[in-house]
Amino acid sequence: MSNPADRPVLRWKPNALSQEKDLKSVAAGALFSTLKEALYAAELRKGKDVVLLTRAPAGWATFEYLGSPACKVQFKELRLGGLPLGGDPLRPHTYIFDGKDRYGRIVYGGSGYQLEESQRPTQEPTEPWAVEAAVPVEEVNHGKNLTWLPRITLRPTLDQLPAALAWVNQHMPTAKIKAGGSKHSWSRVALSNDVYIEPELMKLSRTIDEEPNVYRSDLGDRRGNLVRAGSGNTVKEMNRYLWEHGKSFPILGGYDGQTLGGVFPTGTHGSVFTRGPLAEMVVSIDLVLADGHPVRIEPTLGITDPKALAAERPDLRLIQDDDHYYAALVNMGTMGVVHSYMLEVTDAFHMNEIRTRSTIPELKDKVREGKIYNLVGAPGKPVDLEKSQPKISDGKDGGFKDQPLGAYHLEFLINPHSDKVVVTSRHPTAVTTTEDSVFEFNPPGRDLVRTIHRGARFGRPAFPTWFQENFRDLLTWGIDQIIKIAPGSTPNLIDSAMDTTIDDAYVDRSFNVFNVGDGTNQIPALAATIYIPIASDDYLTALDIIRSAAREFAKRRNRYETAPASMRFVKGTKAMMGCDVDVCSFEFIFTGNTTYALEMVEAYEAALRAGLGAGKVKAHWGQLVGEGTKRGEGFTEYTRWREVRDELDPKGVFLNEWQERTL
């Protein structure tokens, strides 16, 4: 292991009737220079505890677990998933001493990893340490609609990533590779039954001033907003880091648990209509190719000084070309493994969220014929928008009553089975230092007393939020039971849930306001997003088609949407595999136990393709996606994107089976 402080979990299942349990870790791991020293330390515990010995990059690490004098721990009773492999996934150097007189060694074979009884090891390995790896475990995504078991699981740090990929290229040249994220995807975009790279150790956060001096000297004010982040960093981790440095992301989605290496390449977006997908914040991408060679990809006029980089990092190939850059922004992990990104962020800001009631007829009337552009898409930096607040509509001036005209962020929650709409706006607002002192790095809600003490202005509706945060399992179970017993009540249930969100003000740090809430995000759910152009009111035609398809689905199957859907607004992007025109994104949410979710999404998509034409209907790469369509060909720049992809990954190492079929 790279760090003995990271104690592996050793699981024990004494018999067929008992449940698996963790053997209690006795102490922090210890690091020894030689195998002989590690064995001596382990055998001092003879008759007492179970000891795991594994090779480390520099020496050997041992980890001690509480055994039982009365109950002998049998090797066949131990569960190996997640245990370190001592630097070589094919020839592991990991042993378990049972605390009595036996050693077992983890071995790799055609059926995977097993623990076999072995002689006491005596020889130091002669081959060099290769790569941080672990015994694979069955992986399950957040929505629990996907499971997969990798053949090999790698856990490199950012420094080890090039060597890890070079090792795979040398020892497993026909293997497919996928880098994982937080598993918050409902499509098969990151699945791998071959080599799977976990992101937890691929973290990095630093400002450009902490970077090697390889950047252009004429960046001006941009320089202060440039931050490098590892692909394994989560949005949540970066929110904290940025805020502590006086910065914020200018736009976010509603969930902060995703890794950057997952959220950017899949085209995830928000609803700030002056911006496209979140990936547009990326100004430079450090990518490691299948052979282990690193490349840096930037637009033609990128931020890196070629001569300075060549002197500092001769191993790092610089590609400054618009085609490569816009191809790599949204690439679904098909070109290589992202080491890190240079991001252009903004000064820290606060926002005010307002949620009001509306109806489908009112929505259509107020946004048709391009009037949506009057309601959302306030131009300018968020900190400048804080200084001059927009006019609040009286409902007679073209806006939604009690909502700002020209909001920074605007979205609609809809119920496809009724006329109910909730209008949500978010706009930068000035906050005093004293007011900010009550804010935290999570949205309020889990602590009811603290939430109430903060005041209504500084939190979402207190009791519904508190209940959702603390009793989400009970809430999910209750909803699923109602839907199962009385499916026809689902539309009214959704209407009632939407009513609980109404709120005349919620002021907080920007990232907390973008976040829909920890309770909501922790509920197992399924999601799909379909993008429809704004032009010619295609998205309003799509709204009618979706509602009609929902009625038809309910009539035919007696099944309904199990959560509100949303309409968000995304600016057209130059990213080749993003939407190149302004679009409305229809996001359909289902409870995690909605077995027919994909069937319903496919019914929506089929109806939209029939009504609008296939070229106007696109899907989110990281969410539920219907099968059987060559989706890549629907993008204007697909041919050029494919050329760049094939240039960077000529053997198709980073294309999994789903991507080969879908693209």
Side-chain angles (χ1 to χ4, degrees):
M1 296 188 67
S2 296
N3 184 1
D6 298 329
R7 286 175 282 185
V9 175
L10 187 58
R11 297 186 66 79
W12 181 39
K13 185 175 173 62
N15 56 66
L17 299 178
S18 64
Q19 292 185 334
E20 286 187 16
K21 62 180 180 180
D22 296 352
L23 285 180
K24 184 177 179 181
S25 181
V26 176
L31 188 63
F32 300 90
S33 299
T34 66
L35 173 61
K36 182 178 179 179
E37 292 173 353
L39 290 170
Y40 177 77
E43 290 165 357
L44 286 176
R45 311 307 300 164
K46 187 173 182 179
K48 299 178 181 178
D49 298 323
V50 176
V51 180
L52 174 74
L53 301 89
T54 186
R55 190 184 182 194
W60 288 78
T62 64
F63 303 89
E64 188 177 344
Y65 303 87
L66 186 63
S68 171
C71 184
K72 191 173 183 179
V73 175
Q74 301 289 341
F75 289 144
K76 66 180 181 180
E77 298 167 353
L78 294 173
R79 298 297 178 258
L80 305 183
L83 294 184
L85 293 173
D88 192 331
L90 301 182
R91 294 178 295 276
H93 298 291
T94 297
Y95 301 86
I96 294 178
F97 178 55
D98 72 349
K100 306 297 190 257
D101 54 10
R102 296 186 309 149
Y103 278 90
R105 179 177 182 176
I106 295 178
V107 296
Y108 177 75
S111 58
Y113 291 91
Q114 296 177 335
L115 184 63
E116 294 183 353
E117 190 166 350
S118 72
Q119 297 294 318
R120 181 181 187 271
T122 58
Q123 298 295 320
E124 289 279 357
T126 56
E127 65 274 13
W129 168 276
V131 59
E132 188 78 61
V135 178
V137 297
E138 185 176 71
E139 307 285 353
V140 183
N141 71 329
H142 178 269
K144 300 183 179 179
N145 66 308
L146 298 172
T147 59
W148 66 101
L149 180 63
R151 182 157 61 110
I152 300 290
T153 296
L154 304 182
R155 292 176 171 173
T157 64
L158 288 175
D159 289 341
Q160 295 167 348
L161 182 59
L165 291 180
W167 181 88
V168 175
N169 184 57
Q170 179 181 354
H171 296 276
M172 304 176 67
T174 62
K176 295 282 190 175
I177 302 173
K178 295 306 290 185
S182 64
K183 306 183 185 74
H184 200 263
S185 173
W186 297 275
S187 77
R188 299 177 181 274
V189 67
L191 265 63
S192 176
N193 294 319
D194 217 340
V195 177
Y196 184 70
I197 298 179
E198 294 186 343
E200 283 78 7
L201 300 180
M202 299 197 299
K203 297 180 185 291
L204 169 68
S205 304
R206 64 189 182 210
T207 67
I208 192 172
D209 291 333
E210 298 169 308
E211 285 267 292
N213 186 21
V214 296
Y215 299 100
R216 285 170 27 200
S217 60
D218 61 347
L219 295 177
D221 292 341
R222 291 183 65 196
R223 185 178 179 91
N225 286 328
L226 295 175
V227 175
R228 182 166 295 281
S231 62
N233 288 42
T234 64
V235 173
K236 186 183 187 74
E237 291 166 342
M238 288 306 300
N239 283 337
R240 186 178 194 117
Y241 174 84
L242 291 174
W243 194 266
E244 290 174 344
H245 287 75
K247 303 296 177 182
S248 289
F249 286 123
I251 179 175
L252 286 171
Y255 178 61
D256 63 6
Q258 299 139 310
T259 62
L260 302 188
V263 74
F264 292 140
T266 55
T268 300
H269 58 87
S271 194
V272 175
F273 207 12
T274 55
R275 291 180 171 269
L278 304 188
E280 290 188 341
M281 289 185 280
V282 175
V283 297
S284 182
I285 306 169
D286 278 16
L287 189 74
V288 182
L289 304 181
D291 60 5
H293 286 97
V295 298
R296 175 169 293 180
I297 302 175
E298 297 179 355
T300 301
L301 299 177
I303 62 172
T304 299
D305 181 321
K307 291 183 179 179
L309 182 67
E312 178 74 24
R313 288 284 309 275
D315 62 310
L316 181 56
R317 174 188 169 201
L318 177 63
I319 302 175
Q320 289 183 321
D321 171 70
D322 284 347
D323 279 2
H324 285 75
Y325 169 72
Y326 288 118
L329 281 185
V330 178
N331 73 79
M332 297 80 73
T334 65
M335 297 179 178
V337 179
V338 174
H339 173 281
S340 57
Y341 296 101
M342 184 67 84
L343 307 174
E344 187 163 6
V345 295
T346 193
D347 292 332
F349 66 104
H350 299 80
M351 287 198 299
N352 181 34
E353 175 184 273
I354 301 173
R355 287 179 168 171
T356 58
R357 293 179 178 86
S358 184
T359 64
I360 292 292
E362 183 186 33
L363 182 158
K364 292 168 68 175
D365 179 64
K366 291 188 181 294
V367 303
R368 69 172 70 251
E369 297 175 351
K371 290 185 287 188
I372 182 64
Y373 290 96
N374 299 328
L375 303 180
V376 61
K381 298 178 181 178
V383 289
D384 293 333
L385 295 174
E386 285 182 338
K387 301 169 186 176
S388 57
Q389 292 300 290
K391 175 187 175 183
I392 300 299
S393 174
D394 60 6
K396 301 175 183 179
D397 49 12
F400 292 93
K401 189 175 186 302
D402 298 326
Q403 289 284 358
L405 286 168
Y408 184 67
H409 170 118
L410 183 71
E411 65 180 278
F412 303 118
L413 276 182
I414 63 171
N415 181 351
H417 305 291
S418 80
D419 279 346
K420 185 174 287 290
V421 173
V422 172
V423 182
T424 301
S425 68
R426 293 166 180 152
H427 198 82
T429 190
V431 165
T432 66
T433 302
T434 301
E435 289 173 332
D436 180 74
S437 66
V438 306
F439 301 149
E440 299 176 345
F441 289 99
N442 294 298
R446 183 172 295 277
D447 186 331
L448 181 60
V449 174
R450 182 174 178 82
T451 300
I452 294 173
H453 179 72
R454 283 175 56 150
R457 179 168 172 254
F458 299 127
R460 293 189 171 111
F463 184 78
T465 303
W466 171 81
F467 188 84
Q468 193 174 67
E469 292 277 348
N470 290 277
F471 301 100
R472 56 178 176 267
D473 292 339
L474 176 62
L475 179 64
T476 303
W477 178 86
I479 292 172
D480 286 338
Q481 294 307 306
I482 292 172
I483 292 171
K484 187 182 299 182
I485 296 168
S489 67
T490 308
N492 290 333
L493 194 65
I494 295 174
D495 279 351
S496 297
M498 292 169 66
D499 284 337
T500 67
T501 67
I502 302 303
D503 194 13
D504 60 2
Y506 164 43
V507 175
D508 207 329
R509 294 169 178 172
S510 56
F511 54 86
N512 283 335
V513 179
F514 280 127
N515 193 334
V516 297
D518 284 350
T520 300
N521 281 321
Q522 293 305 316
I523 295 174
L526 304 171
T529 293
I530 296 176
Y531 301 104
I532 305 294
I534 298 292
S536 302
D537 284 345
D538 283 341
Y539 72 114
L540 295 182
T541 303
L543 177 59
D544 290 337
I545 292 172
I546 289 165
R547 283 159 54 81
S548 176
R551 286 194 299 271
E552 196 61 36
F553 194 88
K555 181 180 178 181
R556 177 169 53 87
R557 296 272 278 106
N558 195 28
R559 292 292 182 266
Y560 301 82
E561 285 269 2
T562 52
S566 71
M567 296 171 63
R568 296 181 178 180
F569 301 94
V570 188
K571 195 74 176 169
T573 179
K574 292 183 179 180
M576 292 180 181
M577 295 301 278
C579 297
D580 59 351
V581 297
D582 296 353
V583 293
C584 174
S585 78
F586 290 88
E587 184 171 18
F588 306 100
I589 306 294
F590 302 86
T591 60
N593 289 325
T594 307
T595 57
Y596 54 87
L598 181 57
E599 182 186 356
M600 195 166 191
V601 170
E602 289 177 328
Y604 287 152
E605 186 171 11
L608 289 166
R609 286 174 174 266
L612 293 170
K616 293 184 176 181
V617 182
K618 293 181 173 62
H620 190 303
W621 296 110
Q623 298 189 355
L624 289 174
V625 177
E627 299 289 342
T629 303
K630 281 287 187 180
R631 296 180 180 276
E633 296 172 0
F635 291 81
T636 306
E637 295 290 332
Y638 173 72
T639 299
R640 181 57 183 142
W641 178 86
R642 189 70 192 222
E643 290 172 352
V644 173
R645 198 225 71 80
D646 291 348
E647 173 197 327
L648 295 173
D649 178 31
K651 296 181 180 179
V653 170
F654 298 105
L655 285 171
N656 63 20
E657 180 185 352
W658 177 80
Q659 289 167 329
E660 288 179 334
R661 186 174 65 251
T662 302
L663 292 172

